[in-house]
Amino acid sequence: MEIVESIEEISVQNPQIEDFSWADLTWTKFGTSEHHDEVALIPYARVDEFIIGECSNAECPTRFHIERGRKRSRGSLKEYKSDEYLEYRLYWCSFGPENYGEGGGVLPSRKYRLNTRNRAARPQSMRGCTCHFVVKRLYARPSLALLIYNERRHVNKAGFVCHGPLDRDAIGPGAKKIPYICNEIQQQTMSMIYLGIPEENVLEKHIEGIQRYCGSDATVDSLASQYVHKLGMIIKRSTHELDLDDQASIKIWAERNKKSIFFYQESSETDQFMLGIQTEWQLQQLVRFGHCSLIAADSTFGIKRLKYPLCTLLVFDSRHHALPVAWIISRSYLKSDVEKWMKILLQRAQSVDPGFKINGFIIDDAATEIDPIRDTFCCPILFSLWRVRRSWLRNVVKKCDSIEVQRDLFKCLGELVYSIWDGVDTTKALERLTQDFVDQTAFMQYFTSTWLPKIGMWLSTMKSLPLASQEACGAIEAYHIKLKVKLFDDTHLGALQRVDWLVHKLTTELHSSYWLDRYADESDSFQNVKEEYIASTSWHRASEIPESAVTLDENNVLVAKVQTQRDSDVTRVVWNPGSEFAFCDCAWSLQGNLCKHIIKVNKMCENREGYGDSMSLRSLKEKLRNIKMKPMDDSIALDLSMALTLQMFDQIKQLVQLSGTNDISNIVNDLPVKWGCKKGRTTIGIPASIAAFTKKRSQKRKR
């Protein structure tokens, strides 16, 4: 095959079939005689179809994951070669590159039984496969993609087939007649078993997944039935107690699950115990939904009942539901300790996407150290009211008997928070609260002992930081409730003081639940799971209530009524509508939760006369008002504000031009030329280490 040295000489191929693979393309050697690769040029829009075709290989059915990726913005290069990339992605077979066999040499799917206490199916998919290829979206021609196949065979480093029907060491007898089960089907089957779905339904979905590769066959069904039954027995017999000592048990778990841990620090005289958990799937969701978006923290779960409190980092998925992407188990909230795991977590995300960044971080605890967040993520910080509201409402309902007293007391607590923007003295609002409800001794004793010593800190944080919206608060609260149901089950109350039990519950049941939710939504399967997942937040349930079911009285703005959808004869009453501290008489609200009736009423109260703004909108207006009033005179502060405003305006203008043009060269030609200083022009673009080495050599020659 003749070697081609220019991309221009390679013709663009566009196969007529829907999904195509390497066999449907003509490959060309591109490069030099010393170093060259086999490449093909296809439309960028058909890259997904090529990947699907590669996954459907009859001899080695598999999935490909993005092992590494890089991006460039258009216009970032003044000079470039014909094969420079705008986007670069390295796709690797999901049965590699690591080998999860014992010691990396013996595969875990031998015909004999390995003597292990817990042989889960997940590690079996990592078998050291070296098959991988590169997709380059060309910088000069963004509509085209350059395919570079580095290793086409599905073999390990020794050159042997390591998965699929040709693999001699695959699982079970007769494995040559059935493709090796890919990671996606394994995770789907495990998730269904962990969630307690009957084995018949699990087997049905498992066979459907396998038949996508090998068709329907009696042998396939028999082996699939054996596999599901065996996997179910393994999961049922698995235990969290790897050792009687909790600390030794968690150490053993950490050694076995290194890929699911991003930070681990054992307890010692100088250091406190810290464990950061993030699976590969969670890392993918962090990069997918967290990039240029928000991250929220459910920071102090189980602070009274668990041995170590649990902090969860959440992102908001395509439906704006809270999705856990990392768990941190630790009792330490010191700035130095928080900064350790935050920096490692950011580096882990940037190893997948070097341009990863977030636009905001939502906290829910006024005692949270915000300096590590600002130093690590370099983003604005928002505050969520959901924890304060939930705590106050639960105790109001629990400690006050009369519903009239409950709604008046909860409204007064809301006025205490609103006072930070209304110009009312906080101390006077507190005095009014204590005087008006002095007869409610149970609640006032709780409030004075728990909240009064730190109420100034919480109100100061609410005023200084922008407030998150009700939709974000509802999504975080929905995750918190689901986590509480999963962990605080009556059958596990004796294990709450063991860390290994907490880790086991998080990485099995809770992880499987969210994985199956996302899979059901994206693949449009498991309709019951999908419907429950979509309706899991009060915000979505509120959107299903028609506006005709809500009654707002113009003469009495203190009350609103909502007709229920299940029973038209039942009406829910919402007091103090338009406020985050509205009170509803439904059972869900009386448990301390943000219910759908309050959200629906508050959404309808927006921009209506007689109803105030929400707290998040008030907070935004306050921040804008402070920015407007900051430069009071003709001083340097005014110059600085003007310079920052113009800089932001120019950036927005450039983004609009970039997104609206079809020819990047028109924008590049209009950009101003940036000259380096005369002394350093020869080293611009050269790494500092190379430049320093060149300088030393030149000085030596002069001497």
Side-chain angles (χ1 to χ4, degrees):
M1 188 185 299
E2 186 179 355
I3 299 176
V4 176
E5 297 183 358
S6 175
I7 293 289
E8 306 296 335
E9 301 179 24
I10 303 176
S11 59
V12 180
Q13 303 178 63
N14 192 4
Q16 299 300 317
I17 56 179
E18 183 177 357
D19 299 329
F20 59 97
S21 63
W22 68 270
D24 302 309
L25 299 173
T26 302
W27 296 84
T28 307
K29 289 186 177 181
F30 171 70
T32 62
S33 56
E34 292 81 10
H35 177 74
H36 52 268
D37 299 302
E38 291 189 7
V39 303
L41 207 58
I42 65 171
Y44 180 74
R46 301 205 64 189
V47 169
D48 290 340
E49 298 172 19
F50 171 75
I51 296 173
I52 293 173
E54 285 297 293
C55 293
S56 304
N57 185 358
E59 294 183 354
C60 297
T62 182
R63 286 286 188 272
F64 284 88
H65 66 272
I66 300 175
E67 182 73 14
R68 196 160 45 246
R70 294 190 291 271
K71 291 182 180 180
R72 287 194 180 108
S73 57
R74 296 186 179 183
S76 59
L77 298 179
K78 298 294 180 60
E79 297 180 359
Y80 48 84
K81 299 179 182 178
S82 59
D83 63 332
E84 289 287 357
Y85 66 86
L86 185 63
E87 295 181 10
Y88 173 95
R89 288 185 174 178
L90 171 61
Y91 287 87
W92 206 291
C93 173
S94 292
F95 293 99
E98 291 87 355
N99 187 351
Y100 268 27
E102 301 294 332
V106 180
L107 299 177
S109 56
R110 297 298 187 189
K111 294 182 176 69
Y112 53 85
R113 180 181 179 274
L114 294 174
N115 187 19
T116 57
R117 295 182 64 184
N118 181 12
R119 175 57 59 185
R122 173 65 185 91
Q124 294 177 358
S125 66
M126 307 297 285
R127 299 172 64 88
C129 184
T130 58
C131 178
H132 63 284
F133 60 88
V134 172
V135 176
K136 278 187 179 182
R137 187 178 186 180
L138 296 179
Y139 187 91
R141 294 187 286 177
S143 61
L144 299 181
L146 183 68
L147 305 179
I148 306 174
Y149 231 125
N150 302 110
E151 176 57 61
R152 188 175 299 163
R153 301 173 303 159
H154 291 268
V155 296
N156 55 23
K157 292 181 179 180
F160 296 105
V161 176
C162 54
H163 63 92
L166 301 180
D167 179 16
R168 296 181 178 180
D169 295 321
I171 290 180
K176 298 179 183 180
K177 303 176 184 178
I178 182 171
Y180 194 86
I181 300 169
C182 69
N183 183 34
E184 181 181 295
I185 300 177
Q186 284 184 354
Q187 184 64 59
Q188 172 187 309
T189 306
M190 291 173 62
S191 299
M192 296 177 70
I193 295 174
Y194 277 125
L195 296 178
I197 297 176
E199 187 173 318
E200 296 79 12
N201 299 342
V202 176
L203 178 60
E204 180 183 353
K205 291 294 182 181
H206 184 78
I207 293 176
E208 288 179 6
I210 292 178
Q211 287 178 352
R212 294 202 301 263
Y213 303 106
C214 59
S216 179
D217 184 78
T219 306
V220 170
D221 296 348
S222 175
L223 293 174
S225 177
Q226 296 176 25
Y227 176 84
V228 171
H229 180 71
K230 178 182 177 182
L231 186 59
M233 294 299 295
I234 290 172
I235 291 176
K236 290 177 182 178
R237 293 173 181 176
S238 63
T239 176
H240 61 274
E241 289 189 6
L242 304 179
D243 192 277
L244 293 178
D245 180 60
D246 186 35
Q247 189 172 358
S249 178
I250 203 65
K251 188 175 181 179
I252 296 173
W253 183 89
E255 288 293 329
R256 294 182 180 179
N257 299 271
K258 291 182 178 180
K259 289 182 72 68
S260 298
I261 296 175
F262 69 90
F263 186 82
Y264 178 53
Q265 177 177 284
E266 293 188 51
S267 177
S268 64
E269 295 181 357
T270 56
D271 299 324
Q272 294 202 37
F273 172 80
M274 296 178 68
L275 177 62
I277 303 173
Q278 185 184 58
T279 64
E280 293 181 19
W281 178 77
Q282 286 179 309
L283 177 59
Q284 295 171 6
Q285 306 312 305
L286 172 62
V287 175
R288 177 182 177 186
F289 296 115
H291 178 58
C292 294
S293 187
L294 298 172
I295 289 182
D298 179 11
S299 54
T300 56
F301 180 86
I303 195 169
K304 295 180 180 179
R305 303 179 68 177
L306 298 177
K307 183 178 181 180
Y308 292 99
L310 173 66
C311 174
T312 307
L313 295 188
L314 306 164
V315 295
F316 300 99
D317 60 14
S318 55
R319 295 189 181 273
H320 295 173
H321 289 21
L323 188 67
V325 293
W327 292 296
I328 300 91
I329 304 172
S330 176
R331 196 180 288 121
S332 175
Y333 297 101
L334 296 176
K335 177 180 177 181
S336 56
D337 289 339
V338 174
E339 198 169 24
K340 286 180 186 177
W341 62 260
M342 275 193 177
K343 287 186 176 180
I344 294 176
L345 184 67
L346 179 62
Q347 292 172 2
R348 185 177 168 95
Q350 290 179 341
S351 66
V352 178
D353 184 358
F356 176 82
K357 65 176 183 179
I358 64 174
N359 287 344
F361 196 103
I362 302 176
I363 62 174
D364 61 353
D365 189 355
T368 302
E369 288 282 354
I370 61 176
D371 289 339
I373 302 174
R374 284 177 173 159
D375 296 342
T376 304
F377 294 105
C378 303
C379 67
I381 300 175
L382 291 80
F383 186 79
S384 174
L385 288 168
W386 80 270
R387 187 178 295 278
V388 183
R389 183 190 183 280
R390 179 180 174 83
S391 177
W392 287 355
L393 181 56
R394 282 169 60 88
N395 282 276
V396 165
V397 175
K398 181 180 179 181
K399 301 181 184 300
C400 301
D401 298 329
S402 173
I403 193 168
E404 290 80 7
V405 175
Q406 291 173 2
R407 68 193 187 200
D408 292 339
L409 177 54
F410 196 56
K411 179 184 177 183
C412 192
L413 290 170
E415 292 174 352
L416 173 63
V417 178
Y418 273 98
S419 66
I420 61 179
W421 296 293
D422 294 339
V424 179
D425 190 1
T426 306
T427 56
K428 292 183 179 179
L430 282 171
E431 289 178 4
R432 180 192 168 192
L433 174 66
T434 54
Q435 291 175 3
D436 291 351
F437 299 96
V438 66
D439 56 332
Q440 304 299 320
T441 55
F443 178 82
M444 295 311 301
Q445 184 178 0
Y446 153 79
F447 187 80
T448 53
S449 61
T450 305
W451 285 96
L452 198 58
K454 57 184 180 181
I455 192 66
M457 176 185 68
W458 282 79
L459 294 179
S460 176
T461 303
M462 294 177 196
K463 187 173 182 180
S464 60
L465 296 178
L467 296 184
S469 64
Q470 276 194 329
E471 184 178 11
C473 293
I476 300 172
E477 186 181 72
Y479 166 77
H480 182 88
I481 295 171
K482 185 173 183 177
L483 180 63
K484 191 173 182 180
V485 170
K486 290 288 184 183
L487 295 186
F488 294 158
D489 189 0
D490 293 339
T491 58
H492 301 112
L493 294 180
L496 294 179
Q497 292 300 311
R498 289 190 65 99
V499 181
D500 55 1
W501 168 84
L502 175 61
V503 171
H504 182 75
K505 293 287 286 187
L506 292 175
T507 55
T508 54
E509 292 186 27
L510 193 66
H511 183 276
S512 298
S513 175
Y514 278 98
W515 186 93
L516 194 62
D517 287 344
R518 290 298 310 159
Y519 180 79
D521 187 38
E522 294 179 348
S523 63
D524 198 24
S525 57
F526 301 100
Q527 292 301 318
N528 293 337
V529 176
K530 181 178 179 180
E531 291 173 2
E532 291 180 5
Y533 157 72
I534 293 175
S536 60
T537 63
S538 298
W539 185 271
H540 178 81
R541 294 194 294 269
S543 64
E544 296 180 343
I545 300 176
E547 293 188 1
S548 58
V550 180
T551 304
L552 295 175
D553 191 352
E554 297 180 355
N555 298 324
N556 185 10
V557 296
L558 298 178
V559 178
K561 295 181 180 180
V562 182
Q563 188 179 30
T564 60
Q565 302 302 298
R566 294 182 180 178
D567 188 354
S568 58
D569 296 332
V570 178
T571 302
R572 299 300 179 188
V573 181
V574 177
W575 288 275
N576 194 22
S579 169
E580 278 84 347
F581 287 83
F583 187 91
C584 181
D585 60 354
C586 70
W588 186 249
S589 179
L590 294 178
Q591 295 176 16
N593 305 311
L594 183 63
C595 71
K596 60 182 179 181
H597 309 108
I598 292 177
I599 293 177
K600 184 63 178 182
V601 168
N602 287 354
K603 288 171 69 175
M604 292 185 61
C605 289
E606 295 175 355
N607 303 321
R608 285 178 178 256
E609 294 184 3
Y611 299 96
D613 296 329
S614 64
M615 288 191 180
S616 57
L617 183 56
R618 284 198 180 195
S619 175
L620 175 61
K621 288 182 177 180
E622 182 72 15
K623 297 294 178 292
L624 295 176
R625 193 180 298 112
N626 292 340
I627 294 174
K628 179 181 178 182
M629 300 300 294
K630 191 133 190 172
M632 297 298 294
D633 54 3
D634 197 9
S635 62
I636 293 180
L638 178 62
D639 298 336
L640 181 60
S641 300
M642 183 63 70
L644 293 174
T645 303
L646 291 175
Q647 182 183 12
M648 184 171 62
F649 176 76
D650 289 340
Q651 291 177 354
I652 296 174
K653 184 178 178 181
Q654 291 175 6
L655 287 173
V656 172
Q657 290 179 348
L658 187 62
S659 60
T661 185
N662 295 324
D663 189 359
I664 190 64
S665 61
N666 295 334
I667 297 179
V668 174
N669 294 333
D670 295 337
L671 292 176
V673 179
K674 294 184 179 180
W675 293 95
C677 63
K678 183 177 180 181
K679 184 178 180 181
R681 281 179 195 169
T682 56
T683 59
I684 291 178
I686 303 177
S689 58
I690 300 177
F693 178 72
T694 308
K695 186 176 181 181
K696 290 179 181 179
R697 289 189 62 183
S698 61
Q699 290 175 352
K700 187 174 181 180
R701 285 198 296 269
K702 286 181 181 179
R703 288 198 298 269

